[in-house]
Amino acid sequence: MSTVYVLRYSLSCGTELVSCYDSMYGVTKRIQMMELHDSFDEDESIHIEKMEVISDEEATNRYNNVRTALHNRNRA
């Protein structure tokens, strides 16, 4: 599994903008760009999260594991 960095930029009007980057370098460049444009106000916020990217195969495996566990639990 790989990881991505998610940048959430919340505006004062309630709108949230989301961007994903493959490294923290991309996130910092985006924040620097905002600084250059002076586009960050005091009532806005930025949240950075590191998240894993799950493949379709892994998602299917997790689904099948849960389905099997629920089936076994209902039989007991």
Side-chain angles (χ1 to χ4, degrees), residues 35-74:
E35 184 179 38
L36 283 174
H37 290 287
D38 194 27
S39 63
F40 187 64
D41 294 327
E42 64 186 44
D43 55 349
E44 298 173 346
S45 63
I46 293 176
H47 301 276
I48 301 168
E49 299 175 70
K50 183 178 179 180
M51 304 179 100
E52 68 178 345
V53 176
I54 300 171
S55 68
D56 291 344
E57 180 182 354
E58 178 64 22
T60 301
N61 289 339
R62 290 180 182 189
Y63 169 77
N64 288 333
N65 290 341
V66 170
R67 192 173 70 181
T68 301
L70 288 174
H71 177 73
N72 292 338
R73 183 177 68 176
N74 289 335

Side-chain angles (χ1 to χ4, degrees), residues 17-31:
L17 307 170
V18 179
S19 300
C20 296
Y21 300 89
D22 62 357
S23 70
M24 186 58 96
Y25 180 81
V27 173
T28 58
K29 288 299 158 193
R30 177 64 177 117
I31 292 171

